[in-house]
Amino acid sequence: MARAQFFNCENGDKAALPFSDAEYERRLADLRATMADLDVEVALFTSMHNIAYYSGFLYCSFGRPYACVVTKDACTTISANIDAGQPWRRSFGDNVIYTDWERENYWRAVREVAGTGRNLGVETDHLTTDSFEKLRDFLEPNTIVGLSTACMQQRMIKSLEEIALIREGARIADLGGAAVRDAINVGVREIDVAMAGRDAMEAEIAHAHPASELRDTWVWFQSGINTDGAHNPVTTRRLEMGDILSLNCFPMINGYYTALERTLFLGDPDKESLRLWQANVAAHELGLSLIKPGATCSGITHEINRFFEAEGLLGYRSFGYGHSFGILSHYYGREAGLELREDIDTVLEPGHVVSMEPMLFIPEGKPGAGGYREHDILVVGEDAAENITKFPYGPEHNIV
């Protein structure tokens, strides 16, 4: 029996995507203008974030490759047979399914859509050496042009529709934060507190965005020594009186990440812990005041560095002071050109959405040991930036 190497399966009706058809057309028009400037005939995307950005489809790899091929008149996702018709329903444009009856059917499907001997644009920061060699063998490109930076710069400027979704994420993160705060008590496990926040956010996403795919919302709730890293996973450690706590709520709506992060204490903090917490809050407020159109990422960073240096705390600073938002998660996506770091000179402009999140890490054994972090999201407008995070911060509000 002959089996197809790839095929189409338009099973059911197209689903409601996160954004309007006009929004996807705008994104594709901007991409095609970039392709024309770079003399690229066809673009091949392989990352979760760019495929989702241009097509609306957020794939689940499970070890299988996926793609989105954009030409001057078509946008086509390439998906694995295990997903059946779901990628077509969730794609703006066409879809081709490859089978696994024969090795390399993925590349045969890509070749069918992209053609051979073309000027090809790719994500050079996402392709492995193995996939790069297969790309050459199957597509025989005339030239290969990197599109990663240009696409990142396009994604950094959020549309009104994107900003509306990000606002929703910030609102839902605040609800998760309230649920986390209410669940804190002596003897409760980190995982129990985290589940309370996650459940509250997922319930609200299901209520407010019933057409969305419900996945990837999570909470990192850390206590005591576990607060030393911003991305430390949840454990079964039980909370103790006097603990420093770190609340981290991350609602995901159709691949769009938002965040709320707060320092809390279970019971009154000691004198040194209170001093460190207040210093980090002061740095946070300074940073909030610096985010505005025309400011540079590096300039904001240097100002906060000067503050921490004057406080004798610069050596305890943990990482950059903020980053962009949009199609990203803890396992895909990043808009590195919009991070608040010393080596990023990007000028803030209307449409940028960035966080302010200073963190101090004091090693175990020192007075005030633990990680102190606050995190708000700001939308940069024509004349100023708007803080869309409403959950309160600081010792006046977050001693439980």
Side-chain angles (χ1 to χ4, degrees):
M1 174 183 172
R3 294 178 172 180
Q5 296 173 329
F6 48 86
F7 64 98
N8 301 104
C9 179
E10 298 181 359
N11 190 40
D13 298 323
K14 286 283 193 180
L17 295 181
F19 304 105
S20 68
D21 287 357
E23 171 69 6
Y24 289 107
E25 292 286 10
R26 180 195 65 80
R27 296 178 183 188
L28 289 167
D30 288 349
L31 170 63
R32 287 171 177 136
T34 297
M35 291 167 61
D37 290 342
L38 297 175
D39 195 24
V40 169
E41 296 174 276
V42 57
L44 170 64
F45 296 107
T46 50
S47 70
M48 294 179 75
H49 47 281
N50 273 328
I51 292 176
Y53 185 77
Y54 292 112
S55 76
F57 169 56
L58 186 67
Y59 67 73
C60 175
S61 176
F62 244 109
R64 296 173 173 85
Y66 288 72
C68 178
V69 178
V70 179
T71 63
K72 65 179 181 179
D73 54 11
C75 175
T76 306
T77 51
I78 311 291
S79 59
N81 196 16
I82 194 169
D83 295 329
Q86 187 261 1
W88 177 79
R89 294 193 298 273
R90 290 280 173 179
S91 293
F92 178 76
D94 301 320
N95 171 256
V96 173
I97 296 172
Y98 72 92
T99 66
D100 57 6
W101 318 132
E102 186 179 0
R103 190 172 296 277
E104 311 302 359
N105 280 347
Y106 166 79
W107 286 108
R108 294 185 179 95
V110 171
R111 181 175 60 193
E112 176 72 11
V113 179
T116 59
R118 315 286 294 278
N119 294 345
L120 182 67
V122 300
E123 296 174 84
T124 51
D125 62 346
H126 190 263
L127 290 170
T128 64
T129 54
D130 180 65
S131 58
F132 196 79
E133 288 305 313
K134 289 177 180 177
L135 178 153
R136 287 185 180 276
D137 291 343
F138 278 87
L139 304 186
E140 302 176 283
N142 179 44
T143 60
I144 298 176
V145 177
L147 292 177
S148 301
T149 298
C151 291
M152 176 190 70
Q153 291 170 340
Q154 180 184 349
R155 296 195 316 273
M156 278 163 41
I157 302 293
K158 310 305 175 192
S159 68
L160 293 178
E161 290 191 31
E162 287 180 287
I163 290 171
L165 186 63
I166 292 169
R167 285 181 186 278
E168 268 292 274
R171 179 185 70 83
I172 292 169
D174 287 344
L175 296 177
V180 164
R181 194 182 189 283
D182 289 346
I184 293 171
N185 213 330
V186 173
V188 176
R189 300 177 302 173
E190 288 180 1
I191 183 62
D192 298 315
V193 178
M195 287 191 294
R198 182 205 62 204
D199 289 352
M201 292 190 293
E202 289 194 327
E204 181 59 21
I205 293 171
H207 169 72
H209 301 272
S212 66
E213 294 181 308
L214 299 169
R215 57 171 171 173
D216 300 337
T217 291
W218 83 103
V219 171
W220 283 323
F221 179 75
Q222 303 137 347
S223 64
I225 195 171
N226 294 336
T227 63
D228 64 347
H231 300 157
N232 292 354
V234 175
T235 75
T236 58
R237 181 185 183 276
R238 294 187 181 275
L239 307 189
E240 301 174 4
M241 184 59 67
D243 273 346
I244 184 173
L245 309 172
S246 187
L247 174 162
N248 308 271
C249 292
F250 308 109
M252 294 288 290
I253 310 173
N254 289 308
Y256 271 67
Y257 160 103
T258 45
L260 168 69
E261 301 173 10
R262 290 288 185 260
T263 299
L264 305 94
F265 270 82
L266 183 50
D268 290 328
D270 60 57
K271 183 177 179 180
E272 181 61 8
S273 296
L274 183 60
R275 182 185 79 87
L276 292 163
W277 191 6
Q278 289 172 331
N280 200 58
V281 165
H284 181 62
E285 291 177 339
L286 171 62
L288 293 175
S289 73
L290 295 171
I291 294 176
K292 63 188 66 174
T296 64
C297 294
S298 57
I300 293 169
T301 301
H302 292 313
E303 286 296 319
I304 304 174
N305 280 348
R306 277 192 280 270
F307 170 81
F308 274 141
E309 188 171 27
E311 295 289 319
L313 297 173
L314 185 57
Y316 297 114
R317 172 198 164 188
S318 185
F319 54 85
Y321 293 121
H323 59 79
S324 183
F325 284 84
I327 290 278
L328 63 98
S329 175
H330 52 319
Y331 49 81
Y332 63 84
R334 197 66 171 172
E335 293 170 3
L338 198 50
E339 294 194 12
L340 303 183
R341 298 188 335 210
E342 291 87 344
D343 59 338
I344 304 294
D345 296 321
T346 303
V347 177
L348 298 186
E349 58 182 285
H352 284 163
V353 180
V354 295
S355 61
M356 173 49 55
E357 50 177 313
M359 179 175 176
L360 295 174
F361 158 53
I362 312 301
E364 197 73 3
K366 290 183 175 291
Y372 300 77
R373 186 168 71 260
E374 314 295 342
H375 178 297
D376 288 15
I377 301 173
L378 293 94
V379 177
V380 180
E382 294 292 337
D383 303 311
E386 178 191 359
N387 190 339
I388 61 173
T389 298
K390 306 304 180 185
F391 195 91
Y393 58 79
E396 297 80 8
H397 303 283
N398 290 328
I399 296 175
V400 180

